[in-house]
Amino acid sequence: MSGMADFDRVAADVRNWGRWGDADELGTLNLITDEKVREAASLVRAGKVFPLGIALGADGPMGMFKFRTNPIHLMTVDGGDATAFAEYARKWTGNPTAQTLAGIFDASRFRFNDDYIMMPLQAGTQWDALSHAYYDGQLYNGFSSDCVTSQGAVHCGIDKVDVKGIVSRGVLLDVVRHRGAATALDHGQQITPAELDQVARAQGVTIGTGDILLIRTGWWNKFMETANPGEMVAGLNWECAAWLHDLEVAAVACDNIAVEDLESGVEGMFLPLHCLCLRDMGLMLGEYWDMTALAADCAADGVYEFQLVAPPLRVTGGVGSPLNPIAMK
Ligand code: UVW
């Protein structure tokens, strides 16, 4: 177990504050250059498309943290309304919504359905914005944490990264396959920088500046088997933050709940990798990315690089966003 002095030393080493200017809110996404985007596009060779987003619905993986529920999907107009309201306008008045629907259905053969989704922005496949986690009263680049209020994040919100897309070369590191695990990594043996280097070497893939790294732990596959949102599966240890910094990756995503292992590794600090990546490095974290089909294809053709298109929703002041990232080979 490391102590707070170790954490503070690493935090000082990896801190990117001021590197792209005092007003910067993009963080390591700055490492994605035009050339990187062109390189990523050149990786689409076979025409294969892999959506990485999980289904948004009541059966989702929320449950470990009681402050987050699974998405709630509600219909506001459906086939029942089409039947009920076709006659409504002739019989009843007094409900303007019903009158409007009745007017539409009565006037022509046109029918439609409408719906809502209500969900925490962290309830599915997501990006954590740079304002999602912090410590000591400061966000990435030194912005004061009180700029995030009930009205959203004035600085480092998910809307601030919109200009980047986000598109880059994606690289998958399949730790499940590397360890020969049946479904998911056993909890207890955290993923280390040395192991990630070994996985990359074994897969014959290099990691370059501006890449977005996808690391597979099998958490999602385990959850699909057990429906237990409290599944414990090994994640990245906190020292991976320095490794990500040295490799100059633009962002990192996992198929698990928090990217990092839920057993901290730093006495007195919960989710230290979150703090180092989001707050010190300005590096966004992706969680609950379903890499199953992509990993199977990479294992089959031996190609672990691809174009990754992963734009968040432009939620004004949001501290995260659901998305459906797409890998293309
Ligand atoms: C927290 O940081 C609390 O959660 P997440 O793992 O979703 O980023």
Side-chain angles (χ1 to χ4, degrees):
M1 178 71 84
S2 303
M4 210 51 89
D6 302 310
F7 176 86
D8 285 340
R9 184 179 34 78
V10 173
D13 286 350
V14 304
R15 195 165 296 141
N16 282 323
W17 296 9
R19 179 171 172 183
W20 296 286
D22 291 342
D24 179 60
E25 299 183 51
L26 289 175
T28 49
L29 292 179
N30 282 294
L31 297 166
I32 304 175
T33 59
D34 297 354
E35 194 187 348
K36 192 80 205 174
V37 175
R38 279 199 303 277
E39 180 194 351
S42 76
L43 300 175
V44 184
R45 300 179 186 116
K48 292 186 275 194
V49 177
F50 302 93
L52 308 175
I54 66 169
L56 297 180
D59 295 336
M62 292 304 105
M64 176 170 255
F65 299 128
K66 298 298 178 203
F67 48 85
R68 288 180 194 154
T69 63
N70 280 312
I72 298 170
H73 177 229
L74 297 175
M75 299 304 295
T76 42
V77 182
D78 62 25
D81 296 322
T83 308
F85 292 128
E87 290 294 315
Y88 188 100
R90 277 189 280 276
K91 283 193 190 164
W92 309 104
T93 56
N95 182 324
T97 308
Q99 294 298 138
T100 304
L101 287 170
I104 293 169
F105 295 141
D106 236 12
S108 87
R109 292 161 62 193
F110 169 75
R111 298 288 180 266
F112 73 100
N113 302 306
D114 254 33
D115 49 2
Y116 269 57
I117 193 158
M118 289 181 277
M119 61 179 287
L121 298 182
Q122 289 75 25
T125 304
Q126 70 186 268
W127 279 126
D128 284 346
L130 300 185
S131 48
H132 177 58
Y134 62 96
Y135 61 95
D136 290 354
Q138 285 178 299
L139 308 177
Y140 167 69
N141 222 4
F143 291 110
S144 172
S145 59
D146 62 12
C147 75
V148 186
T149 66
S150 57
Q151 299 307 299
V154 171
H155 290 293
C156 299
I158 199 68
D159 48 331
K160 296 294 167 58
V161 303
D162 173 65
V163 288
K164 291 303 281 189
I166 298 165
V167 178
S168 193
R169 174 180 182 251
V171 170
L172 173 72
L173 296 182
D174 188 348
V175 188
V176 179
R177 185 176 156 79
H178 186 73
R179 283 197 196 173
T183 304
L185 306 180
D186 288 334
H187 194 235
Q189 195 192 339
Q190 300 191 343
I191 302 168
T192 63
E195 182 174 23
L196 292 173
D197 281 334
Q198 281 164 19
V199 177
R201 256 198 312 278
Q203 291 180 180
V205 70
T206 54
I207 300 158
T209 298
D211 288 347
I212 296 178
L213 210 51
L214 274 53
I215 300 172
R216 182 166 172 258
T217 69
W219 189 94
W220 178 250
N221 306 96
K222 188 91 174 176
F223 171 73
M224 291 305 281
E225 279 178 12
T226 65
N228 173 16
E231 279 300 347
M232 294 297 270
V233 163
L236 271 59
N237 79 358
W238 77 280
E239 289 165 5
C240 292
W243 181 83
L244 294 165
H245 178 73
D246 292 348
L247 285 171
E248 299 208 302
V249 305
V252 63
C254 281
D255 56 349
N256 64 4
I257 191 165
V259 176
E260 65 193 284
D261 201 285
L262 292 179
E263 271 169 29
S264 165
V266 178
E267 189 76 51
M269 185 64 112
F270 184 50
L271 300 183
L273 187 119
H274 268 60
C275 294
L276 295 169
C277 289
L278 295 168
R279 187 257 202 196
D280 291 308
M281 291 161 63
L283 179 136
M284 289 186 1
L285 302 174
E287 292 155 355
Y288 298 115
W289 291 34
D290 179 4
M291 303 169 188
T292 317
L294 176 65
D297 188 81
C298 293
D301 68 6
V303 177
Y304 284 84
E305 59 177 357
F306 38 86
Q307 183 185 35
L308 182 74
V309 181
L313 300 179
R314 298 173 62 179
V315 182
T316 306
V319 300
S321 167
L323 77 157
N324 187 10
I326 305 287
M328 282 173 278
K329 292 173 80 180

